Amino acid sequence: MRSDNNGFNGGSTQNGSGTTETDDLLSGSEDSYANSVRTVTFTPNFDLPQSDGVPVKPLPSQRMRQARRDEPTDFRTSTPQAMTSVDDLDIIKRAKRPPEHGFGALLFKLSGGRINTGQSAVELEHQALVRRANRTVRGVYKIAFISLKGGVGKTTAAKTVGSTFASIRGDRIVAIDANPDLGTLADREHREHHLTVRDLLADSDIRTYSDVRYYTSQGDSRLEILASEADPETSESFNEQDYLDTLRILEVHYNILITDCGTGIMHSAMYGILDEADALVVVSPTAQDGARSAAATLSWLTKHGYGDLVSRSVVAINATRPGSSSLDLDQLEEVFAQRGVRAVCTLPYDDHLGEGGPIDLKLLNKRTARAYLELVAAIADGFPDSQGRHASR
């Protein structure tokens, strides 16, 4: 076939191998065909159309494509958006705990659970205090209740605090009567027997918790009490070594150990108590002379090297008589706060506590029960962390 001047030979082009490109396209593989097709990319123009000089609002699909075109396409310079995790979604409709007291609880009961107003602010605050009182304690935490003046309710406060702790927590709590002058701590509980700390110290076969439990009395709150000697004819002075020997036995089996001290700060057992205590509860009455003695106690402790112990301690202002106090309690709290204690709590007068007999938490009025729960929570705030460091004020 004759070639023309343009190099065409019957619609085919001669290549160096003697074959024609037309033959390759017709008889070659699909890859040869695909490589011969030029790809044309059409990029639409998203400029806003004009209608008589007025821009026309683009369709939603056009706005989306325009936004995508404006995004950076270089993966080396663009920053991908953080993906939303399922944990970030509030997809669980949480049920409200029904109220336990008041009109809301009555309404919940009468409606068969269909009307649930949720717990009140008072109930939520109560639960927060309970959580604080339940703070985990590692090892044994020793709390001493002290006062230089008698008749201020120190023993009553020690027993009620111990009972409140024991009724809330699941660990073992014991209160020791360390008053060398015939203490009355055991009188504030129904005694199971008349064994005392002297009997415990005389037993050389103490090995297990049940061996110790044989010498303690336990009430409804689960607080255990180790009584002091109550017979003046057989009693001996409870000295520092006696107290330390008692601690060595008890601290193996209990998590919280409460000591009810005597009124004299100079007796032998007091030095052992102060050296071993993790915190103090200094009990002050609402009367001026008793409050002055409590403030003097804190000052004495600071001057004699117990300033760090004072900073971990709590003052309990205890009303021992009905009616309002003649002192300004707010100013009295400020006086104690200036002494460097960690917290100050006020305990109202309660008829049941004023009886002087066994203490039943169920017989306390609501105001008193709440005040003791706040005191217990304040004490628990000072529990050391897992590394043994005490909480700071």
Side-chain angles (χ1 to χ4, degrees), residues 237-253:
S237 177
F238 190 75
N239 58 38
E240 179 180 6
Q241 191 59 51
D242 293 332
Y243 179 76
L244 295 178
D245 291 341
T246 304
L247 281 189
R248 300 294 84 84
I249 297 174
L250 298 179
E251 63 186 5
V252 178
H253 307 287

Side-chain angles (χ1 to χ4, degrees), residues 49-113:
Q50 302 290 327
S51 176
D52 297 333
V54 179
V56 178
K57 184 177 181 181
L59 296 176
S61 59
Q62 292 176 320
R63 293 196 299 270
M64 185 182 299
R65 290 195 296 269
Q66 179 68 38
R68 291 177 178 173
R69 188 180 69 171
D70 294 338
E71 292 178 355
T73 57
D74 189 351
F75 71 93
R76 294 168 297 182
T77 59
S78 61
T79 302
Q81 294 182 348
M83 298 184 65
T84 302
S85 170
V86 175
D87 296 333
D88 297 331
L89 303 176
D90 189 10
I91 60 177
I92 300 177
K93 186 177 181 181
R94 305 185 185 279
K96 294 185 296 185
R97 294 186 62 179
E100 300 177 1
H101 306 283
F103 178 75
L106 178 63
L107 188 62
F108 181 81
K109 182 178 180 180
L110 294 178
S111 65

Side-chain angles (χ1 to χ4, degrees), residues 1-21:
M1 182 177 298
R2 182 175 58 86
S3 297
D4 57 14
N5 294 332
N6 294 327
F8 284 94
N9 186 9
S12 62
T13 305
Q14 188 77 26
N15 56 29
S17 62
T19 61
T20 62
E21 294 182 4

